[in-house]
Every structure is written in C-alpha cells, then in structure tokens.
Amino acid sequence: MQKDPILEFDNVAVEYQLDEGVVRAVNGVSYKVFPDETLAIVGESGCGKSQSSYAAMGLIQPPGRITRGHIWFREADGKPRIDLAGLDRNSKEIRSIRGGKLAMIFQEPMTALSPVHRIGRQLDEVLKLHTDMGKPQRIDRGCEMLRRVGIPDARKRYDQFSFEFSGGMRQRIMIAIALACNPRVLIADEPTTGLDVTIQSQILELMKTLQAEHHMAVVLITHDLAVVAETADRVAVMYLGRIVEMADVKTLFAAPKHPYTIALMKSVIGSPLAADGRLQTIRGSVPGPLERVPGCDFHPRCDACIPGLCDKQEPVFKDIDGKTQVSCHLFC
C-alpha cells in the first residue's frame, strides 16, 4: 500500500433542501482509499453509501448539494490533489475525470444504460472521451471488454440495443463500460446484483485482476457480507449518513465493536454471532429521512443503549486499539 491515497473523503456532508425540511443524506463522512486497496462500504438501504459516491462523481442532483468537506482525488502519482467537491458537476475538469480516471458501476442497469443507443456506441463514447484510440481500436477494445465480462459473440452484441439483453447481461455491460479506460478508482455500487453465482465470481475475479494490473483502488458498496469477506481489505460500516465503524476486514469479522455492526453480522446466514444458528433481525426500523435522532443515531434500536448518555450525546468517532475506529459511547 502506497503512502498517498488516491481518493480521500474529509468530513463530507450532502444535504437535500426540500419543502418538508432538510434531508441529511451524508453527514460527515471521512475515509481514504489507496492504490491496490479495496474499501467496502456496508449498511442498510438509505444509509448514504451511494450518495457519498455520487458526491465524488459530481452526480448530486439539485436540490441536493455538498454542504461541507473535501473530496481529494489524485489523478497520477506526483500530481497535486484535486478537490472534487469544489468542482461544478458540469465543468470540463470533472468531465475529464469522471468515467475515465474515476469510474462507477451503477446499481440499476435498467436505467443506467440508454435504451435508444446501441451498446457499442455507449462503450465507444467513454473510450472516445478519455483515450486517443482511433475508431477501429475503440471497437476492438469495446469487444474485448464485453468478452472479459462474459458476454458471448461480442462483435454481434456490440451492435445491439440494451433492451435486447437480460438484466444480468446489462449489469455486465455496465461493468465493461466502467472498466474500459482502466480507471485509477472504481466505485462499484452493488456490482453483482442480479448476477448468478458463477458470473458473480467471474466479475469479482475480473475486478481483482484489473486492480492488480493497474494498481486500481476500489470502493465496493454492497449488502453482501460474504462478498466483503472475500474481496475487501478494509470495511466501513455506515448508518444514517455516518461511518460508525471502520477496520480491516479480518478484524471487523473477528471482533466487531459497534452494536450496529454486531447486529448486521447476526443477520447473516451461518454467522457465529447468530444464536442457535438462526437469523436475527435488528429491532425497530431506520428513522425517516426528515426525522432527527438526538444523541447516537442508533440508540433507539440498540440493545446496549445507556439511558441519559446515548440518547443525549453524540459519540465521537475515534481509534480505540490501533485497528478499529468506532463511534460508540461504549468505547469512549
């Protein structure tokens, strides 16, 4: 692992100003990703995993906006950092980075691909914008990427429309587009959703191979803790727009600290933390987007809640043993 991170979040917050109130989608997220490293971000739906990634890509749509913090990106070793949070989402500078040096696999293939343009044109667009390849080379590269993600008869498929593919194949096409330019950072938002187990394994192996070849950093957003255990180097656990625990993957799975992380582990099939081998649920539900929770965000659902403290005072995110950072009053 190199000393300088490729991508660094520094106290980033994303808010949506609605008529009903303010939605704090991301609330003070900080993390670093280094070359050759995979950082997994896990948590329940609505916790801000995808929104933090959209902030890096310059894809936060009005009325949403980044209200504080910095997102530092290093285009190449030895070059000065660029603050992505300070760039206009339609600026020439962010467009030169997005899709080329900083790429993203989107969660929903049904809407991420254009239904009125051929697959080949969508592959060609990213190569035309971010490489100096000629048309024949771009076609060869596009077909090569389709083959690498497991699409047969790639040259024929290159000229077809997205509606001629199944959902799983659209997911693979989206992965091919994201990886086509060998990005320095790949943000993979549920990259194996809708894929069968065999193809899922092939896609994850392809990402590992390209990561090793190009020293790529990967931010993996997923609900699948089994995938996290197999592919990640470090894990960040998010809840209500905040990171509540961060550790290397072995430490997190062997000794989770935050009550929310423990509850997530207990809900996984085969988890040693699950009593009697049965799946357990996290009691209660995630607060609504406009609801404000005093003190610790997780305290209404936490079995270890300390009355008078957890419901009054917000915990500090701190390093507790040199291996784990956690935001919980149990470790203050």
Side-chain angles (χ1 to χ4, degrees), residues 259-260 283 298-305 330:
Y260 178 61
R283 65 181 176 86
F298 188 60
H299 87 263
R301 309 174 68 190
C302 181
D303 294 330
C305 175
L330 297 174

Side-chain angles (χ1 to χ4, degrees), residues 2-204:
Q2 298 182 16
K3 180 179 179 181
D4 296 326
I6 299 179
L7 184 68
E8 179 179 356
F9 275 62
D10 180 13
N11 195 33
V12 174
V14 176
E15 295 182 357
Y16 286 81
Q17 184 73 51
L18 307 178
D19 293 338
E20 299 84 356
V22 178
V23 176
R24 291 181 170 85
V26 180
N27 194 6
V29 165
S30 298
Y31 65 75
K32 300 177 182 179
V33 192
F34 295 84
D36 298 301
E37 181 187 36
T38 298
L39 172 69
I41 303 180
V42 301
E44 292 172 283
S45 296
C47 70
K49 305 186 298 297
S50 296
Q51 287 293 316
S52 61
S53 299
Y54 293 158
M57 296 291 291
L59 295 176
I60 298 296
Q61 302 293 320
R65 63 189 183 94
I66 300 173
T67 56
R68 72 170 186 270
H70 304 278
I71 305 173
W72 300 108
F73 176 70
R74 197 179 300 274
E75 288 189 86
D77 295 332
K79 282 194 172 184
R81 299 181 303 174
I82 299 171
D83 184 9
L84 301 177
L87 300 179
D88 183 271
R89 64 191 180 93
N90 293 316
S91 67
K92 183 178 179 180
E93 190 170 11
I94 189 66
R95 289 172 67 87
S96 70
I97 296 171
R98 182 172 57 213
K101 301 179 182 72
L102 178 62
M104 184 171 182
I105 301 170
F106 294 95
Q107 185 174 359
E108 183 45 71
M110 301 297 183
T111 56
L113 295 173
S114 169
V116 297
H117 297 100
R118 299 180 191 275
I119 292 304
R121 179 172 176 181
Q122 296 178 66
L123 271 162
D124 184 73
E125 181 181 22
V126 68
L127 291 168
K128 187 176 181 179
L129 285 172
H130 299 288
T131 73
D132 56 1
M133 295 180 182
K135 182 69 173 180
Q137 291 86 358
R138 297 200 302 269
I139 293 175
D140 289 343
R141 175 62 174 172
C143 293
E144 176 195 353
M145 291 309 302
L146 292 178
R147 285 190 290 269
R148 295 192 75 172
V149 297
I151 293 180
D153 202 0
R155 187 62 188 88
K156 177 182 176 182
R157 293 295 208 170
Y158 185 87
D159 292 321
Q160 293 181 327
F161 294 93
S162 62
F163 58 77
E164 298 179 76
F165 294 81
S166 68
M169 294 185 80
R170 293 185 205 186
Q171 183 81 3
R172 285 181 259 171
I173 291 166
M174 209 160 45
I175 293 169
I177 293 172
L179 295 174
C181 294
N182 300 321
R184 279 181 61 80
V185 179
L186 174 67
I187 300 174
D189 192 354
E190 300 284 359
T192 55
T193 298
L195 302 181
D196 60 60
V197 176
T198 302
I199 297 299
Q200 181 185 83
S201 177
Q202 292 175 2
I203 293 300
L204 293 174

